[in-house]
Structures are given as C-alpha cells and as structure tokens.
Amino acid sequence: MSVTDEIKARLDIVDVISETVVLKKSGRNYTGFCPFHSNTRTPSFVVFPETQTWRCFGACADGGDMFSFVMKREGYSFKETLEALSKRAGVQLKSATPHQAEQDEQRHKLLELNAAAAAYFHNLLAGSPAATDTRTYLAEREIRPETIATFQLGYALDEWEALKSHFLERGYSAEELLAAGLLVERDDKPGYDRFRNRLIIPIRDTRGRVIGFGARALAADQMPKYLNSPQTVLFDKSNTLYGLDLARKHIRQTDEAVIVEGYMDVIQAHQREARNVVAQMGTALTEQQLKRIAPLANKIILALDADTAGNAATVRSLSVARQTLPKKYRATSTSRGIEVESHIEQEIYIAALPIGQDPDDILKEGLEVWQSLIDQAIPSLDYYETLIINNADLATPQGKSFVVRELVPVYREIKDNVEKTARVQRLARKIGLDERLLLAELKGGQPPSRASNRRRAPTPPPPEHPFPSESPEESSTVAFPDSEPSGLGLEDYCLSLILANPTALATANEVLEKEGVPGLTANDLKRGDNRDIFKALQLWAALETPKIEALVEMVDEVLERRLASLASQWHRRPSPPLEDVNQDLSTAILRLRLQKLNEQLGELKFLLREAEENEDLEHARRYRETIREYSRERKSLHDTRDALSLMGKRRTEANQFGQVV
Ligand SMILES: [Zn+2]
C-alpha cells in the first residue's frame, strides 16, 4: 500500500474537512458551506464518506480526495500535505536512503533548536528588563501585543554568550548552535552569540517552522541595521520569502502577491489586514523566490520605496526576471506542422511608494488607500521604459542614444517576438527615431536567425529514466493508440500522454477551446498528487526543450515514484505519430470531463432522492435544477466528442489514402 493510501485508510475525510468546515449530516452524507467560494445561503458543499470524496456543486464546482482538499485549503503542495496528514495519521514517511535519513535527522534537530531559540528570544522580549527599550520601540511603531505573539518577535541580550550558555546548559552542543547559525565561527570553532542587542524576527518556512532569524539593530550606531542568519541546512535566503506561511492563503484568495522590502513592513501590513504581503530577504528578488510565489497568484506586485523604484538597475533586473515566469503557449497547425507561440501569462508589476513613505504610512490611511496604490501598479518593463525615458533629454541626439543603449539590450532578452517587435515600434514612435534603425540595432547584438521563439514541436522525449525503480503493480502497460486500459485511470492516462509528448497539451487545449470547451486544468484532476504533477507538467511542457531531467527537478521527490510509473507507460514503446497523440489527449480530456459530470449527476440524483424522502422541497428543487444544468452540459460535451472523433476518422482515412497512392 502506498503511503497516500495508508493515510487515506487511517483518516476519515469527514474529520479532516470538519476541522474548518461546519458539516451537517444529511442522510448518508454531510453538507456545508463551501470554503472556497463565498456562499452563505444554500450549502452547496457535500462530503461523501463512502467514497471519501468532497464536491462543491456551487460556483467553484471543484471536488476530489482528502489530499486535494487540504492542498486547496492550506495552499500546500502535495509534499507538504503528505507531511501534514502523515503526522496526523501516525504514518511514518520513509526516507529513501541512509544518507537521506541522516539528513532528515539533522534537519529535524535544527528545526527543534530553532523553535527553542525563537521561544527563548520571545520570552526575553516579554519579560527581560533589558528589553524595555525594545518594547517601547515596538509600541511606538504601533505593533500590537497579538502581532508580537503571531510573529513571535523576540529580543537578543546585549551579551556575548547569553544564548550560548543558555543552550549549552540545556544539552545542545556548540556545534549544533553553530550549524543553526546562532553562533559566529571563531578560529574554525564555534564562537560567540551572533545576535546581540537586537530585535529578533523568526523566519519561517511555508509550513510555519522557524528556519532562521532576521535581527534589527536597536542602538543607533549598530551595524548592520539588519542582520540575517547565515546560510544553513535549513535557511537559504534566496529561496525564502518572509511571511509566506501566513500570507499564502490570502495570496491564493486574492490571486495577488504583494512583495515589500522589509520584515517590519510585512508585520505591519498583516496587522492592518493587508494579508497577501510578503518580503524579499534584503536582496533583489531572486528567480527561486519568484518560482515559489508564481504558482500562487497571477499578479505579482512589488511595492518598492521611492528610492528602490527609482533605481534603474533594480527595475531592469525585474524586467528580465519576468521572463522566468510561466508562459501560456498557443499552438497552431500550419502546413509545416505544429508551431507554438508563447505569451506571458504572469507579470511582475511595480508600485512605487510616495517619497518618504513606507507601506505602514500608507496603510495607516486605510486599507483602501493601500489597495488603490497596489491596483495602480505598472508592469515592470513599462515602468523601466518610463524611468529611462524620463531620465533622458530626448531633444538631443545624446539623449536618444542613451535611451536606445539602455532599452535595446533589455528588449533583446524578450523571448516573445511579437512583444519584442511591438515594443521597439512603440519606442521608435516615442523618441522619434526610424523604426528600421531600431530593429537593426535590436538584431545587432545577436547572431542572425535562430532568434525566433517560434519552434517546431519537439519530438517525444527519449526513453531515459533517471527515476527510482518503479513498483511492479504501478507499471501496467498502455495499449496505444486505443484508449487507456482498465487499471490506468483517465487522469493518469492524460498525464502520461503529456509526459510522452509535451506539446500535446497546448495543441489539445487549443483544439478543445476552438470547440468552446475549456482546456485541461489542475482542478479537473481529483487526486491531489496528480494536481501537483500536472502543474509541473504545464510549466515543463512550455520549456524550449522539455527534457525529462528538468521535470524530475520540478516535482517534489515524494512524487518521483508516481512520475516514474506514468513515464513507464511509454517506456520501450515506439513513439506514436504526434497527430494521434494530440487527438487522443483531447478525447481523453473530454472523457475526463464526462466522467466527472456523470459522477456529479450520480451524486446529485442520490442527494435528490434523499431530499425527497425527507420532504425537503427546497433542496430537492435546487438539486433538480442543477441536474438539468449538468445534463445540458453533458449533452454538449457528447456532441463535441462526436465532432472530434469524426475529424480524427477523416484524418486517418486521408493518411491511408495517401499511403496507397
Ligand atoms: Zn465552492
């Protein structure tokens, strides 16, 4: 039995969901208000104990297993959900190798030590006479006691070995304290306390565990103003966003992530109810930080103070960084085959704060004032253009030359040719230069041709297998090009098709969208682990050359076995023609939708029968209405499926005809 199944067997979905949703028993099932869309009148959320599934029959129309519920509720990845639920179920997660087990053990110890250190600093802030000034400072900045508790703010004594002797007395070794970054190394040996006379801000991972500390100077002459934990086994500041553990849920809800510059800004923002706010870690925004936040929201806004926002180098780096965000791909069939065009789906925006104001100053005026500033944020590259143009005297040739010199290299890095050309044309008009001149300048910096972002559809990846060995029961085979065999679910089948043919996803979605049917999304999948694999596949399939190694890096290691089993479906098999795969995937997506609709209809009919038995007329009426609505949708999906299969048949016949001739 897999760990996932073991957890499902030990926990009851009703208990897990009841933690946050008030469920009322209704016949054999439970109903409540859906936690994922605002609804207060009629409970549209149903939990089915028999199948251990949940479903919303309201606006979000989502549903799935225990894992997908917790992932959605907490904004967790599958791995984080697995860790949380396994703890609850008392199921031990196995470490893959002895080396990994050792690492896990070390991490575990350091986490424990960090938690103890956070509590130690927090207690000092609360009770130590030495912390009086710090308490006054926090009071002056209007940080409330409950905020101090939520963020577990603390105080480090103005002594060289206060923390060291405290923890040595409690059985920790100096080496452990050093490994946690709490001591400074001296002559290759653990030395003295790293943090002295500072306000301590514990930094947490997405699961809320303390992984490091930020420390603000309290004396005027103390340098640096902010001191962070060094890089440790747990703490990598380029991969961490401060406050993400608390902000994540709100970022998902608002589909908007606001990044500010300092820890205190986050603390104050949350206190004033701007809860989708996180902070970069004292450095420029890194690619890893962007990747961490990109899956949570489409809109990423940097609220920069006037100085930073006016700094061309910073803004320029953001304009380049936006290239790493996921792109939406559009596939088109041409006489030369399938071609794919990219469009940036996500964007980094910049909101410049008024000179001399920090986020708290604005939030003091009210949440609406803050939000309107955020709403007015400008895409980073537009912002950069304006910054450069405003700094140049366009009346002079030198001014024009300056603009071209600054902007053209940035344009050159834009992968999307349509956007690239459009921007150059617009700039030419703005500064009064010949467009052809600028286009030539654009080409000047790189070898001719090959600069195109249009690319031929890559062939299916070679059968390389950098995966751990798959378990025998998982490696059932697929008979291609017929439909998936029993044993391999439709969800798995779709994923395995995309895995074998990364471009098929864009093409299949395009075909469906043309028929008025939305493309495949993570919400179509019931299993939580499949949702995470699909999200990784989406990003991976959009890469220039989707290599299987890249995919392995994109998924959590806990999903590698599932990935291996999906990949094994195509192992040792000649790759089918791409056209067949595209057709197969669009049909499979349709069948997945039909399957879901049929399940929903089954559930609804069951609910209707119960409501009728209980003479609950209001509910019965509503269920009947929804059944009618879903039946109409099913009819139209059937029509689309028929139309697509007809197209497929014609193509096959045409191919056969071609071969005969
Ligand atoms: Zn809902």
Side-chain angles (χ1 to χ4, degrees):
M1 201 195 284
S2 74
V3 186
T4 316
D5 293 334
E6 207 177 325
I7 291 170
K8 282 185 183 170
R10 289 213 198 173
L11 296 178
D12 185 0
I13 195 168
V14 178
D15 295 336
V16 173
I17 293 180
S18 301
E19 280 172 9
T20 47
V21 182
V22 182
L23 292 177
K24 227 182 84 206
K25 182 122 183 112
S26 140
R28 273 145 74 186
N29 306 305
Y30 292 81
T31 57
F33 291 111
C34 175
F36 305 125
H37 76 270
S38 53
N39 53 144
T40 44
R41 275 187 310 157
T42 45
S44 61
F45 183 81
V46 187
V47 181
F48 302 94
E50 279 163 37
T51 50
Q52 289 285 302
T53 55
W54 60 279
R55 180 92 70 194
C56 164
F57 290 102
C60 55
D62 201 357
D65 64 1
M66 181 189 302
F67 281 79
S68 57
F69 180 83
V70 174
M71 282 165 75
K72 195 163 178 160
R73 181 181 73 192
E74 305 294 338
Y76 279 171
S77 70
F78 179 74
K79 184 188 172 191
E80 290 166 322
T81 310
L82 189 66
E83 284 169 347
L85 287 179
S86 67
K87 204 165 167 193
R88 227 190 114 143
V91 173
Q92 187 74 40
L93 290 181
K94 289 174 221 78
S95 305
T97 61
H99 174 68
Q100 205 179 331
E102 199 180 295
Q103 275 188 330
D104 285 354
E105 172 74 24
Q106 196 200 357
R107 291 174 64 90
H108 188 76
K109 261 202 181 141
L110 285 184
L111 282 170
E112 219 178 70
L113 175 53
N114 274 336
Y120 162 81
F121 291 131
H122 187 58
N123 286 336
L124 284 175
L125 177 66
S128 168
T132 310
D133 287 353
T134 314
R135 289 191 291 266
T136 310
Y137 165 79
L138 289 171
E140 276 167 1
R141 293 196 70 167
E142 297 177 38
I143 307 284
R144 291 196 290 265
E146 58 270 28
T147 309
I148 293 176
T150 304
F151 287 89
Q152 212 187 3
L153 301 184
Y155 173 70
L157 292 166
D158 194 9
E159 290 172 31
W160 292 96
E161 302 212 319
L163 173 137
K164 188 178 177 184
S165 49
H166 176 91
F167 281 100
L168 288 182
E169 270 168 38
R170 277 154 187 80
Y172 289 96
S173 70
E175 283 70 28
E176 283 168 340
L177 292 168
L178 181 67
L182 291 164
L183 298 187
V184 172
E185 197 165 353
R186 206 177 197 190
D187 303 330
D188 290 336
K189 280 195 289 274
Y192 47 85
D193 290 2
R194 177 178 300 276
F195 305 117
R196 299 176 310 280
N197 193 28
R198 281 173 182 270
L199 170 69
I200 299 289
I201 301 152
I203 299 163
R204 296 165 190 278
D205 66 6
T206 45
R207 290 177 61 198
R209 302 175 301 188
V210 180
I211 52 172
F213 298 92
R216 189 188 190 283
L218 291 165
D221 55 351
Q222 226 177 331
M223 291 298 281
K225 192 172 166 199
Y226 278 95
L227 180 66
N228 282 328
S229 292
Q231 173 117 3
T232 69
V233 172
L234 298 175
F235 183 57
D236 174 6
K237 75 176 177 186
S238 65
N239 193 17
T240 307
L241 285 158
Y242 178 68
L244 190 55
D245 57 317
L246 295 171
R248 183 169 45 180
K249 220 189 285 186
H250 306 282
I251 290 174
R252 278 198 195 263
Q253 275 165 13
T254 53
D255 197 24
E256 207 174 81
V258 179
I259 304 177
V260 293
E261 294 189 67
Y263 306 124
M264 292 306 282
D265 296 330
V266 172
I267 294 168
Q268 285 162 319
H270 280 245
Q271 176 171 285
R272 296 192 196 273
E273 280 166 17
R275 295 210 170 90
N276 59 348
V277 175
V278 297
Q280 58 202 70
M281 304 290 297
T283 49
L285 193 66
T286 67
E287 209 177 305
Q288 288 118 294
Q289 288 170 334
L290 262 183
K291 280 190 177 141
R292 213 145 241 270
I293 210 151
L296 303 179
N298 262 324
K299 204 168 172 187
I300 299 168
I301 302 135
L302 271 92
L304 302 175
D305 73 34
D307 278 353
T308 318
N311 182 327
T314 309
V315 180
R316 183 190 196 279
S317 74
L318 291 170
S319 308
V320 177
R322 73 197 256 278
Q323 299 285 338
T324 66
L325 291 172
K327 317 270 184 298
K328 200 179 207 167
Y329 277 80
R330 230 180 20 205
T332 38
S333 276
T334 69
S335 54
R336 285 166 296 157
I338 307 292
E339 291 194 315
V340 183
E341 243 185 288
S342 71
H343 293 268
I344 289 188
E345 191 180 31
Q346 276 185 317
E347 186 65 89
I348 300 177
Y349 292 79
I350 294 180
L353 306 181
I355 294 170
Q357 288 201 307
D358 63 23
D360 196 46
D361 296 326
I362 297 150
L363 278 156
K364 270 184 200 158
E365 294 170 33
L367 197 56
E368 336 69 63
V369 181
W370 169 256
Q371 190 58 44
S372 93
L373 188 106
I374 295 301
D375 291 345
Q376 285 165 33
I378 297 166
S380 56
L381 186 49
D382 294 347
Y383 190 94
Y384 182 61
E385 285 171 0
T386 312
L387 199 64
I388 293 298
I389 291 173
N390 288 349
N391 270 325
D393 179 5
L394 291 180
T396 65
Q398 290 86 348
K400 287 183 187 181
S401 156
F402 167 78
V403 171
V404 172
R405 220 169 41 235
E406 295 299 315
L407 288 181
V408 168
V410 179
Y411 291 157
R412 233 176 249 144
E413 298 191 50
I414 299 176
K415 290 180 191 143
D416 187 324
N417 267 351
V418 178
E419 187 195 346
K420 194 189 291 199
T421 315
R423 283 200 182 265
V424 169
Q425 287 168 335
R426 201 174 62 182
L427 181 68
R429 278 197 302 277
K430 253 188 204 164
I431 64 174
L433 272 184
D434 188 339
E435 181 187 315
R436 283 166 303 183
L437 202 82
L438 270 189
L439 284 170
E441 180 74 27
L442 190 70
K443 287 215 178 79
Q446 59 185 18
S449 89
R450 293 196 63 81
S452 167
N453 74 314
R454 293 184 147 248
R455 57 190 168 97
R456 305 285 299 191
T459 45
E464 289 159 13
H465 275 255
F467 295 114
S469 64
E470 67 244 20
S471 66
E473 87 268 10
E474 278 175 325
S475 59
S476 53
T477 49
V478 177
F480 192 87
D482 305 331
S483 57
E484 81 294 342
S486 57
L488 185 71
L490 262 176
E491 287 193 9
D492 291 3
Y493 182 65
C494 288
L495 295 180
S496 75
L497 274 180
I498 300 165
L499 195 54
N501 305 276
T503 53
L505 179 61
T507 316
N509 281 345
E510 180 84 352
V511 168
L512 290 176
E513 276 158 21
K514 248 184 221 154
E515 301 289 325
V517 179
L520 186 64
T521 69
N523 280 4
D524 285 315
L525 309 171
K526 270 192 285 190
R527 292 181 56 131
D529 43 6
N530 283 351
R531 284 186 182 193
D532 259 19
I533 288 183
F534 177 73
K535 281 184 203 157
L537 277 176
Q538 255 182 321
L539 297 179
W540 174 71
L543 293 177
E544 203 73 38
T545 41
K547 288 236 175 72
I548 204 90
E549 292 82 0
L551 180 61
V552 175
E553 280 195 2
M554 289 165 89
V555 297
D556 277 327
E557 67 274 13
V558 290
L559 290 169
E560 273 180 22
R561 264 171 74 103
R562 271 202 63 70
L563 202 57
S565 121
L566 293 169
S568 72
Q569 311 303 334
W570 304 104
H571 197 26
R572 293 177 294 268
R573 199 185 311 277
S575 358
L578 196 57
E579 280 193 334
D580 289 350
V581 177
N582 293 338
Q583 163 91 20
D584 247 59
L585 183 59
S586 36
T587 315
I589 296 171
L590 276 178
R591 291 177 53 210
L592 198 63
R593 290 262 164 70
L594 279 167
Q595 192 181 53
K596 182 175 165 189
L597 269 178
N598 282 331
E599 276 171 21
Q600 285 170 320
L601 279 165
E603 289 162 0
L604 279 167
K605 281 176 187 156
F606 179 83
L607 292 168
L608 172 64
R609 215 166 36 243
E610 275 195 337
E612 282 172 344
E613 276 164 21
N614 300 331
E615 288 175 30
D616 181 349
L617 297 181
E618 171 55 25
H619 272 102
R621 187 188 60 76
R622 234 166 23 85
Y623 289 138
R624 257 184 236 112
E625 224 169 70
T626 319
I627 288 174
R628 268 197 298 276
E629 193 186 308
Y630 283 11
S631 304
R632 275 197 297 273
E633 205 179 321
R634 181 167 64 174
K635 168 83 174 60
S636 110
L637 278 184
H638 272 297
D639 293 346
T640 311
R641 193 185 58 179
D642 293 346
L644 285 186
S645 82
L646 196 67
M647 268 160 56
K649 233 180 248 153
R650 284 208 191 111
R651 207 190 55 228
T652 316
E653 282 164 10
N655 284 350
Q656 281 165 351
F657 182 66
Q659 277 162 15
V660 171
V661 171

